[in-house]
Amino acid sequence: MPESRTLFGRPGETLRVEVERAISEFRAGRPVLLRAGEDLALVLSAELADAELVRRLDTLAAGNGHLVLTPARLRRLGAKGRVEPGIFALPAIDLDRVAYLALKPDSRMDAPIAPASALDGAALELARLSLVLPAVLVVPVTAGAIAGESLVGADIAAVTAYRAEQAASLRIVGRAPVPLEGAPDTEFVVFRGGEGLRDQVAIIVGKPDLSASVPVRLHSACLTGDLFGSLKCDCGDQLRETVQWMTENEGGILLYLDQEGRGNGISNKMRAYKLQSQGWDTYDADEVLGFDLDQRHFDFAATMLKQLGVSRVVALTNNPQKIGAIEAAGLEVAASQRVLGRPNAHNVRYLASKRDRAGHLIDMDALMARAAPKD
């Protein structure tokens, strides 16, 4: 990525600022101008498109607009085994057709799928970064066609590199003791950067020996489970029981990460919950929305641990993906330990799906025995 400077910024910051502004515009439902060399295109969230804006885009498109969808959504439409994104041509940008292809649960392909370009892939990444549905309207344009328009733009290389740059730029911005019920000797350390749209938090419970193997849990934020005690998942149980275990076992570090809904964001999580209420499995519901099994990245979590002085961990998790991510980032995983939640009538299918479809190390027999009434 080329070096550049803003008037009051640091070297290389201009392109990152462009992406941050593009994320804000995209989340607000306004078109963003993406650049791929000499190629230009206006991109717009399919879920946020309104009739008047689409009418103006259709005039610019002159029959060359298209809809970009993820491989997960294309598989749901009937493209079995699809592993790459693809596009549907839009000779006219018809919102009803866009909604059918991008949003409806039981839709099927109504035209051939064409390959997606690098610019189309960047448009999907912008949607993911913006935490909206990964379905994007793309309208190729020329510089002359948009002359005089006030548009926020970004280079596709900057969009593609943004996640890694955020992880590399993580820094501690505040820390303080925060006594918790049952864990009075606790410190919160706040980091800026990483995944999601908020700060990340490390909760240091007790006084773990950082020169030894430190018990660590990577915990993705779950508003419904962590705060409100939702019965649809085991997140709240895992959060509180991890803190309790650390208090009773010489401490540890819990990383509280902004990755709601397996990285899909709270609005998409609620969409998935709505589909689950209609009978869909948790992963099938995500696929209907255009998401694969898990959108989360954990490289920045390893960076947080390194900045805290941790080099070797005992991973408190049921998810092999987290263990692999910690190791891939250069930390040693000395051991791993399961974190049990409580099964109930509302989450037992969810827990079984995590085991059977995502490879989580969940012993359902042990969980059910734990939930059985005590004599």
Side-chain angles (χ1 to χ4, degrees):
M1 187 176 296
E3 285 290 300
S4 54
R5 180 185 289 273
T6 59
L7 181 60
F8 299 107
R10 295 178 291 275
E13 193 169 32
T14 298
L15 294 176
R16 186 162 61 248
V17 170
E18 281 189 345
V19 178
E20 289 166 353
R21 290 173 176 165
I23 291 170
S24 178
E25 287 293 286
F26 200 85
R27 277 177 62 81
R30 291 186 285 268
V32 169
L33 181 67
L34 287 187
R35 303 183 298 267
E38 298 298 316
D39 294 330
L40 303 174
L42 293 175
V43 301
L44 176 70
S45 165
E47 71 163 290
L48 298 174
D50 64 64
E52 174 57 25
L53 185 53
V54 164
R55 184 191 65 78
R56 286 182 278 154
L57 284 175
D58 198 31
T59 300
L60 278 175
N64 294 315
H66 56 267
L67 174 68
V68 190
L69 297 176
T70 64
R73 179 62 185 176
L74 293 174
R75 291 195 298 270
R76 182 55 54 181
L77 291 174
K80 293 184 178 180
R82 184 85 187 193
V83 296
E84 298 291 338
I87 68 173
F88 287 100
L90 298 174
I93 303 179
D94 178 347
L95 275 180
D96 288 337
R97 181 171 180 240
V98 168
Y100 176 80
L101 290 170
L103 308 174
K104 304 296 184 184
D106 297 316
S107 303
R108 306 297 289 174
M109 289 184 296
D110 66 357
I113 303 169
S117 67
L119 192 150
D120 296 325
L124 283 179
E125 178 65 1
L126 184 60
R128 296 186 190 102
L129 291 167
S130 304
L131 299 180
V132 300
L133 284 177
V136 186
L137 293 171
V138 176
V139 173
V141 294
T142 64
I146 55 172
E149 295 287 343
S150 179
L151 293 165
V152 171
D155 190 89
I156 68 166
V159 173
T160 303
Y162 183 76
R163 286 185 192 272
E165 290 218 342
Q166 282 291 91
S169 66
L170 266 169
R171 66 193 188 281
I172 294 173
V173 294
R175 60 192 304 166
V178 181
L180 303 178
E181 183 177 0
D185 186 11
T186 298
E187 181 183 20
F188 277 48
V189 184
V190 179
F191 292 76
R192 185 141 302 150
E195 195 93 335
L197 298 174
R198 297 190 301 273
D199 295 336
Q200 317 295 335
V201 181
I203 298 109
I204 304 175
V205 180
K207 302 294 182 186
D209 181 357
L210 300 184
S211 67
S213 298
V214 180
V216 168
R217 173 163 175 78
L218 313 186
H219 188 92
S220 299
C222 177
L223 174 70
T224 50
D226 296 344
L227 186 58
F228 293 101
S230 167
L231 298 177
K232 285 184 64 64
C233 64
D234 57 346
C235 302
D237 288 341
Q238 290 182 314
L239 174 66
R240 285 175 277 277
E241 291 182 18
T242 294
V243 172
Q244 179 182 351
W245 183 91
M246 289 178 175
T247 303
E248 297 169 352
N249 290 273
E250 301 182 353
I253 299 175
L254 185 146
L255 301 187
Y256 197 77
L257 309 174
D258 180 18
Q259 299 175 319
E260 186 81 46
R262 290 194 291 267
N264 301 340
I266 186 66
S267 61
N268 292 319
K269 176 178 174 178
M270 289 303 106
R271 289 186 174 107
Y273 273 9
K274 177 69 172 179
L275 290 170
Q276 289 175 45
S277 74
Q278 298 168 354
W280 299 83
D281 166 272
T282 178
Y283 295 111
D284 286 336
D286 278 353
E287 188 174 68
V288 167
L289 299 173
F291 298 107
D292 280 310
L293 289 182
D294 201 326
Q295 310 303 308
R296 293 174 293 178
H297 300 76
F298 297 104
D299 51 350
F300 72 96
T303 302
M304 293 169 67
L305 292 171
K306 290 176 183 177
Q307 291 191 21
L308 293 172
V310 175
S311 61
R312 189 165 65 252
V313 309
V314 175
L316 307 181
T317 183
N318 305 325
N319 186 352
Q321 182 184 355
K322 293 181 180 179
I323 297 171
I326 294 171
E327 292 175 328
L331 297 179
E332 178 186 345
V333 178
S336 64
Q337 181 174 308
R338 306 290 76 80
V339 183
L340 297 178
R342 292 175 296 173
N344 61 67
H346 301 278
N347 71 12
V348 66
R349 183 185 180 195
Y350 164 79
L351 295 172
S353 294
K354 289 207 295 186
R355 177 196 63 188
D356 297 339
R357 301 192 59 181
H360 287 217
L361 305 172
I362 297 175
D363 185 336
M364 292 299 294
D365 291 337
L367 280 179
M368 297 309 292
R370 188 174 189 231
K374 301 297 187 291
D375 294 333

